[in-house]
Structures are given as C-alpha cells and as structure tokens.
Amino acid sequence: MSLSIRNQIAGTVTDIAHGEVMATVKVRLDGGDDLTAAITLESVKDLGLAEGSAVRALMKATEVALATERVRGLSIRNQLPGTVSSVALGGAMATVTVTVDGGALTAAVTRDAVTDLGLAAGSPVVVLIKSTEVSLATV
C-alpha cells in the first residue's frame, strides 16, 4: 500500500496503556528516541499490537511543529531533537525537513515561522507532535 503521508519512522512497541476507549502506545524508534501514539483500543486489537511489535509511526507534515529548544509546561509529549537538513520556501508556506535519530521528518510550517525561528540547514530543532496525531502501521 502506498500512502501520501511522507513521515514514516520505524520502531518497536515498548508499552501499551489501555483506557476505556483509547490506548497510549509507546514506541522506541530505531534511532533510540521514544514516541507516543494515542490510538483506539480497536486499532490496538486490529493491528495485533503487543510489546515487541514492529511498527511504523506515521505523521502528516501539517501535524508536525518545530521549536528551537525543548518546550516545558506543554501537553505535547513527543519532542524529538533533530537538525534541519533542508528548507523549501513557498510564497506563504514552507516545508522543513529534519533529521532525527532513526530517520527524517518533514514539517509544513508558515514562511514566517521559518524566518522567526531562523531555520536553515544545520539548525538544531525539536520536532513536536501530539500523540493523537501519530498513527501506527504494522510492518
């Protein structure tokens, strides 16, 4: 199956916390960083997820935010350190590709954000992704 979601990083399930309808699934990315996905219990069952399951974490570029350092006092748990590898500027929007341990992620942000944050190839950044915006696929 081909997908339009360009952000796909491989990892292994390390923990599943079951709620009444949703579960949080912790994934250790191949590069060593941890990522949390909040998915339905039905999805956990349908995918056959358990500790040790090989998965791909999928995130739309429009759901990826960037910061110049870790952010405290924020509900977003997924904060992955990385380095900007490229910036493609458009008239109003930009795509910023960030190398993180285990792969690369692309963020769709405003051109103003690129300017305000001073983003360029080589810039250190932190990728921010809400756990509810992370989907999982089995490998």
Side-chain angles (χ1 to χ4, degrees), residues 43-77:
S43 292
V44 170
K45 181 182 174 187
D46 290 348
L47 293 170
L49 296 181
E51 286 186 33
S53 295
V55 296
R56 292 193 77 71
L58 308 147
M59 298 134 291
K60 289 175 57 176
T62 54
E63 300 302 333
V64 176
L66 302 173
T68 55
E69 59 187 36
R70 284 199 174 273
V71 181
R72 298 176 77 131
L74 185 68
S75 66
I76 298 174
R77 291 291 167 247

Side-chain angles (χ1 to χ4, degrees), residues 7-8 14 16 20 33 39 46-47 51 73 84 105 120:
N7 293 321
Q8 301 183 28
T14 59
I16 302 173
E20 290 188 34
D33 286 325
I39 63 174
D46 290 348
L47 293 170
E51 286 186 33
V84 173
L105 294 171

Side-chain angles (χ1 to χ4, degrees), residues 13-132:
V13 173
T14 59
D15 185 59
I16 302 173
H18 296 82
E20 290 188 34
V21 177
M22 300 286 290
T24 55
V25 180
K26 294 198 184 294
V27 176
R28 172 78 33 91
L29 302 178
D30 285 355
D33 286 325
D34 292 316
L35 188 73
T36 299
I39 63 174
T40 65
L41 291 176
E42 184 177 357
S43 292
V44 170
K45 181 182 174 187
D46 290 348
L47 293 170
L49 296 181
E51 286 186 33
S53 295
V55 296
R56 292 193 77 71
L58 308 147
M59 298 134 291
K60 289 175 57 176
T62 54
E63 300 302 333
V64 176
L66 302 173
T68 55
E69 59 187 36
R70 284 199 174 273
V71 181
R72 298 176 77 131
L74 185 68
S75 66
I76 298 174
R77 291 291 167 247
N78 294 318
Q79 297 193 30
L80 305 174
T83 303
V84 173
S85 55
S86 67
V87 177
L89 296 173
M93 297 295 292
T95 55
V96 180
T97 302
V98 178
T99 302
V100 297
D101 284 344
L105 294 171
T106 298
V109 299
T110 65
R111 185 181 178 115
D112 288 344
V114 170
T115 301
D116 291 349
L117 297 174
L119 301 178
S123 299
V125 293
V126 176
V127 174
L128 307 167
I129 311 155
K130 290 180 66 172
S131 60
T132 53

